[in-house]
Amino acid sequence: MSEATSPPSTPSPWPSPPRSKGERSAGMKLVIAVLIAVALMVPLLMVYGLLWDRQQQAETAQASIGQGWGGQQTIAGPVLVIPYRVTEQQTVTENGKDVTRTVETIRNLYLSPQANKADVVIKPEKRRKAIYETVVYESKISGSADFVLPADIARYGIAREALLLERAELRLGISDARGLVDGNSVTVNGTPLPLKPGKGLLSTANSGAFAFVDWTGATPMKVDYRIGVRGLGDFRLVPRGVDTRWTVKSSWPNPSFGGDFLPVTRSVTGSGFTATYAVSSLALGQDQLLTGDLSAPQVSYGGGRDAYAETAAAEAVAAADSAGETSGGVAKAVAISLIQPVDLYSQVDRSIKYGFLFIGFTFVAFLMFDIIAGARVAAAEYLLTGVALVLFFVLLLAFAEVIGFLFAYLLAAGAIIGLLAAYSAAVLKSWKRARFLAAMLIGLYALLYVLLNLEAYSLLIGSVLMFFALAGVMYMTRNIDWGGAGKKDEVAA
């Protein structure tokens, strides 16, 4: 196809051929281009639906990996649970009369440690199912806790003689006991105790482990514990006691720290991270002695809802009501998430939001070639070009799931730029114009990639560039007679 040449007598780089009598005005061409651009928002929304569907499939695949491995883990304890006798007055109706009786019931007292120290090692591992990848972990917790029976226990309305210390239980809360591995142990004052399943903490009675403890309460009790648990997603620790101190280490280089408490010190490098936590009972807002269990912590990232915590909290209320006990409140927790460096679905989602810019800039370029250079772009050609621009996001999503976001972006952008360059050469009747359009698309795709990596300044940069683009279009079309058959006879230099 031959290049279009510019006669020396005209200042326009692309000369306008003579216009026929029935040709649409520049304003009508603008209206048609805008209507087609608006209509293309429908397939863009369909791409959003496709993205949501693929994201749901990825989450389902991740959940299926966690079914045999262990889900999100929340570790609480150790806590000493001591039954005690309570004498109550109960009124019952017999033969139509109210009768008051004195009955004795058994309730539980929850004693948190005076000091709780632990070293936590989290070993991450990537697992794949089909094209989907997720990060699972295996954690090892080695800790020690000191228990002391408060001398002023009578101030809590509980007589020392009412305590059934011979029936005390040492409990560990584990949100998903399926993830427990071999090697778990508890030692009290140097004596190993057998662990039994169930009777956990956080009002989830059947999730965790416990051991019967023989303790008189006259002297402090030293507890050493080892817990190994596998999990998927967040790893959470619930501080209990007067003074809680943890050191968490992992080889994962991209952690996210959340929850109610952040680490007092942390070090994140390419080879992993180390975080230390120090939480006092004053910061917790919880007493060392509680007459009711705590409900599960409601920890979330990004302001989202935590379905597990809400379900567990509802179970806690029901369990407390059935046991005749008052809940000790909502537990607080620290949370560590082993996140992927790049979430391809969020990247694709953000890129789709800029789809209208690609359509708008490309249509503006076609419109300028039409009304200024006389290329005569038909409505069908606008539509096909817009469909190709929307197809970029479908290609990006499809390739990103297989080869990663960066290479998918380069491949999809290259394919669409090549397609539109070849097509516009025929539509605009010039390879020179086609090269101009291809250069503009290369700039747009490069700009979009930069904006995707500059989250904090993407709006600022995008809005400034749009301002200059609009100013350029207004300058180029300042002499257009939008209501007439085309350009005014006088064209400014």
Side-chain angles (χ1 to χ4, degrees), residues 361 364-365 368 371-372 436 464-480 482:
F361 275 100
V364 165
M368 294 301 99
I371 63 178
I372 295 179
F436 172 83
V464 170
L465 289 176
M466 286 185 64
F467 171 80
F468 284 110
L470 177 62
V473 171
M474 294 173 70
Y475 178 80
M476 292 172 61
T477 60
R478 67 192 186 279
N479 294 315
I480 297 294
W482 295 102

Side-chain angles (χ1 to χ4, degrees), residues 71-423:
Q72 175 183 280
Q73 293 293 0
T74 301
I75 310 299
V79 170
L80 193 64
V81 180
I82 307 172
Y84 65 97
R85 295 187 182 90
V86 177
T87 301
E88 295 179 336
Q89 300 290 329
Q90 290 186 355
T91 301
V92 296
T93 302
E94 292 183 357
N95 300 323
K97 296 181 179 181
D98 292 338
V99 179
T100 301
R101 292 179 178 176
T102 300
V103 296
E104 186 178 80
T105 59
I106 303 298
R107 292 186 178 178
N108 286 332
L109 184 68
Y110 295 82
L111 176 63
S112 298
Q114 185 73 21
N116 184 16
K117 299 180 181 180
D119 292 322
V120 183
V121 178
I122 302 175
K123 181 182 177 182
E125 180 182 344
K126 290 185 178 181
R127 289 286 181 101
R128 293 186 67 90
K129 184 173 183 179
I131 61 174
Y132 303 108
E133 183 180 76
T134 189
V135 179
V136 298
Y137 60 82
E138 181 174 328
S139 61
K140 297 288 187 180
I141 305 172
S142 301
S144 63
D146 300 321
F147 288 89
V148 177
L149 191 64
D152 60 347
I153 192 172
R155 293 179 179 270
Y156 294 87
I158 302 171
R160 177 68 170 77
E161 297 76 17
L163 299 178
L164 303 176
L165 291 169
E166 68 279 3
R167 293 169 54 183
E169 298 170 355
L170 187 69
R171 296 187 185 181
L172 294 165
I174 301 162
S175 61
D176 192 344
R178 297 173 304 166
L180 283 171
V181 298
D182 293 334
N184 301 298
S185 64
V186 169
T187 301
V188 175
N189 293 331
T191 303
L193 298 180
L195 282 172
K196 300 181 181 296
K199 291 190 177 181
L201 297 170
L202 307 180
S203 298
T204 52
N206 294 319
S207 183
F210 76 100
F212 292 112
V213 178
D214 185 10
W215 184 47
T216 64
T219 58
M221 182 175 66
K222 176 78 170 181
V223 175
D224 295 302
Y225 57 96
R226 303 288 183 271
I227 304 174
V229 64
R230 299 179 303 189
L232 168 70
D234 292 352
F235 178 74
R236 301 174 180 178
L237 294 166
V238 177
R240 299 287 291 265
V242 178
D243 183 38
T244 302
R245 296 181 183 273
W246 292 315
T247 300
V248 184
K249 297 180 180 180
S250 176
S251 58
W252 188 254
N254 300 287
S256 177
F257 302 102
D260 297 291
F261 303 97
L262 294 177
V264 292
T265 62
R266 60 182 173 183
S267 173
V268 181
T269 65
S271 58
F273 71 89
T274 300
T276 59
Y277 293 87
V279 183
S280 67
S281 59
L282 293 177
L284 276 175
Q286 298 165 0
D287 204 344
Q288 186 180 9
L289 275 175
L290 295 175
T291 55
D293 194 7
L294 298 173
S295 60
Q298 300 185 30
V299 178
S300 61
Y301 290 91
R305 295 172 62 186
D306 188 333
Y308 165 77
E310 292 178 355
T311 302
E315 292 175 352
V317 174
D321 290 343
S322 63
E325 296 184 1
T326 303
S327 173
V330 179
K332 294 181 173 63
V334 303
I336 300 173
S337 180
L338 307 183
I339 62 174
Q340 294 278 21
V342 176
D343 182 356
L344 66 91
Y345 293 105
S346 64
Q347 293 281 75
V348 175
D349 176 78
R350 293 186 62 216
S351 65
I352 294 174
K353 294 175 182 177
Y354 291 96
F356 73 95
L357 287 179
F358 285 81
I359 296 173
F361 275 100
T362 307
F363 279 21
V364 165
F366 272 28
L367 189 64
M368 294 301 99
F369 285 124
D370 191 345
I371 63 178
I372 295 179
R376 293 192 178 94
V377 183
E381 293 164 340
Y382 278 108
L383 182 61
L384 290 174
T385 301
V387 170
L389 293 171
V390 174
L391 182 61
F392 161 77
F393 302 102
V394 180
L395 293 175
L396 176 61
L397 174 60
F399 287 127
E401 291 184 328
V402 180
I403 61 176
F405 184 80
L406 174 59
F407 292 109
Y409 192 92
L410 294 175
L411 182 59
I416 296 302
I417 292 172
L419 175 64
L420 289 181
Y423 183 66

